[in-house]
Amino acid sequence: MNAMNESIIDIPRASGDPCLMVIFGATGDLTKRKLIPALYNLAKAKLLSRKFALIGTAFDSFTDESFRQQLAQDIRTYAMGEVDDKVWDWLEKRIYFLKGDFRDENFYWKLRELCYSVGGKNAIDDNYCYYLATAPTFFGEIIRQLGNSGMAKEESGHWRRVIIEKPFGHDLESARALNVEIREVLKERQIYRIDHYLGKETVQNIMVFRFSNSIFEPIWNRRYIDHVQITAAEEVGVERRGAYYENAGAMRDMVPNHLFQLLSLIAMEPPISFEADAVRDEQTKVLRAVQTLTPEDVLSMTARGQYHESVVDGVSLPGYRAEEKVARDSKTETFVAMKLLIDNWRWADVPFYLRTGKRMAGRTTEIVIQFRRPPMVLFRNTGIGEQIQSNRLVIHLQPHEGISLEFDAKMPGPLMKLGVVKMDFDYEDYFGATSSTGYERLLHDCMTGDATLFQRADMVEAGWSLIQPILDVWKALPPRSFPNYAAGSWGPKESEELLERDKRQWVNRV
């Protein structure tokens, strides 16, 4: 498809507020791979205030100059396109560094002084954005110290906002405790729990697709939809994240954040507006309406797996237990699948199947909306009854972003034969390629005070409430069959059986 200029509605967006951003853990992979390229892209698109500066903090020894030099090398490696030297030079001059121990209260007083100095040097209003790109164990400590040093206090119309990376808690109890701890310092409107999946254009487009197109919303319910599948599959293994993954596993790493965010956007009722709390109210309602699994349900409605070594196209793929910093008898799951039911008027009896895993047959994240088959009376004597396929709408998130619709059509010729026709919309083909890490929209929203795409405390706790019963059963009944699926496959047989019991099957595509 080719875009026609008159068909594109251009709604200009303002640049972010003048602000000073402080990244805690600024020497990690997240900063060089995502955050700095995202800030560069915002600057290039003129969506970053001209009154902006960045302070990186970490345990490592850097000066302002050496930190800038390191990032200058990194941006040319991780930028999504050719680097504009003028844009980078402008941003680079506004980058500073402070070494320190996040557990040392003296560090925060030094940081406060540096913030005042940098803010004055760059004529920045007293607006601060703190990004916690650290291990989760530091979240509560950093926020408490920001409070003690007065750096979280909002005065004279200026703001203080904190972006918190996942995972937010390790289970329901720890998530609740963390919420209590940080709200002793911050108001909920100051807290931005980030989920980079929501920075993807297609995820944001779900609401537009559903609520601005009258041909879809009337059929977005139990009367027309048979079931929904949400898949987040990765070809890679745990790579260098073995130590983290051993404590998290696929369930904690992906389900309460990424997959539940997608589920809530697909299943939510129309919000009364696009205001942040109006949207998040509806997302939370959906999560609260999901049936909590009993211990018996966990055994029949969930599946878990761990990949073992295999050879794919002549390439040897290691098993999970052979990965770096992984126990040789590890019981950690690298694959999760589950069936969920939503107890409300729109979705009663419509199953939602979720799965995510490492070392699968392809890298893909997509949402499949499977519609009900039509009545067969019309085709009873035509011999094509069994050829009729259910209509299928697929929302693709990665590696390519777009939407496809599958439906039946008669094949040319004198005989009645059907073929499946696919209509594809691809963001890149239609609107052109864009340089994006997925963090641009989220950082910009934080700078403008729009929390729509960030999780609220009640959303986080609702998500953990749903998976806590599963975690409890799995802890009581350790897996006996691990490892149980080959690296490079679509997961264990228990995942296939989960749908086969309902006379359905996974849609596998790459």
Side-chain angles (χ1 to χ4, degrees), residues 11 25 117 183 192 218 255 291 331 344 389 493:
I11 303 175
S117 173
R183 281 187 294 194
Y192 288 69
V255 178
Q291 292 181 11
K331 302 296 184 183
N344 64 16
Q389 302 294 316
K493 61 180 178 57

Side-chain angles (χ1 to χ4, degrees), residues 254-324:
M254 292 291 291
V255 178
N257 36 67
H258 301 329
L259 296 193
F260 281 176
Q261 285 278 9
L262 299 180
L263 181 149
S264 64
L265 289 170
I266 286 293
M268 67 187 233
E269 293 299 315
I272 59 173
S273 73
F274 272 162
E275 292 294 319
D277 279 334
V279 174
R280 296 188 295 181
D281 283 346
E282 299 303 333
Q283 290 182 273
T284 305
K285 286 179 186 177
V286 168
L287 294 178
R288 288 176 174 167
V290 175
Q291 292 181 11
T292 302
L293 301 186
T294 66
E296 292 75 18
D297 291 335
V298 172
L299 298 178
S300 62
M301 296 171 63
T302 69
R304 53 181 161 166
Q306 184 189 98
Y307 62 87
H308 58 74
E309 70 283 351
S310 70
V311 177
V312 177
D313 296 330
V315 177
S316 179
L317 302 178
Y320 174 70
R321 293 178 178 179
E323 302 277 15
E324 184 180 349

Side-chain angles (χ1 to χ4, degrees), residues 64-260:
D64 291 347
E65 188 58 35
S66 63
F67 188 54
R68 291 169 181 172
Q69 290 175 357
Q70 182 62 57
L71 293 181
Q73 296 175 21
D74 294 336
I75 191 65
R76 284 163 175 79
T77 301
Y78 299 109
M80 307 298 289
E82 187 175 346
V83 176
D84 185 320
D85 289 335
K86 290 184 178 179
V87 175
W88 174 251
D89 288 346
W90 176 88
L91 181 60
E92 184 183 55
K93 292 174 183 176
R94 288 159 173 78
I95 297 175
Y96 304 83
F97 187 83
L98 179 64
K99 176 184 177 180
D101 184 339
F102 303 150
R103 296 160 297 193
D104 179 7
E105 65 179 71
N106 293 325
F107 162 74
Y108 294 87
W109 293 104
K110 293 178 182 177
L111 178 60
R112 178 173 176 163
E113 291 179 8
L114 181 59
C115 287
Y116 287 152
S117 173
V118 170
K121 188 181 299 183
N122 292 276
I124 297 173
D125 290 341
D126 198 24
N127 297 327
Y128 294 174
C129 172
Y130 306 110
Y131 199 116
L132 308 192
T134 69
T137 52
F138 288 112
F139 292 168
E141 175 71 16
I142 291 173
I143 292 172
R144 183 178 64 82
Q145 295 280 13
L146 289 174
N148 291 343
S149 60
M151 297 182 68
K153 188 176 182 180
E154 296 181 314
E155 295 179 315
S156 305
H158 300 299
W159 51 258
R160 300 285 190 274
R161 296 168 187 152
V162 180
I163 301 177
I164 304 177
E165 269 287 342
K166 72 159 180 108
F168 193 90
H170 188 72
D171 53 18
L172 177 58
E173 182 180 359
S174 62
R176 284 174 172 166
L178 183 55
N179 274 331
V180 170
E181 184 177 9
I182 65 178
R183 281 187 294 194
E184 290 177 352
V185 177
L186 303 171
K187 298 179 178 65
E188 181 62 35
R189 60 176 169 77
Q190 294 178 269
I191 307 167
Y192 288 69
R193 301 170 186 84
I194 197 168
D195 183 347
H196 69 269
Y197 261 49
L198 295 198
K200 295 181 181 295
E201 287 293 341
T202 313
V203 174
Q204 298 169 46
N205 192 45
I206 290 174
M207 286 191 292
V208 175
F209 180 79
R210 285 188 57 189
F211 303 131
S212 71
N213 295 298
S214 60
I215 62 173
F216 292 110
E217 180 55 26
I219 61 172
W220 211 264
N221 55 59
R222 66 188 301 272
R223 182 175 179 183
Y224 298 99
I225 293 177
D226 178 77
H227 72 277
V228 177
Q229 297 181 22
I230 302 177
T231 295
E234 298 181 73
E235 277 187 296
V236 298
V238 296
E239 298 179 298
R240 294 176 296 173
R241 300 171 70 224
Y244 160 77
Y245 212 81
E246 276 288 85
N247 290 315
M251 176 69 84
R252 291 181 172 93
D253 188 48
M254 292 291 291
V255 178
N257 36 67
H258 301 329
L259 296 193
F260 281 176

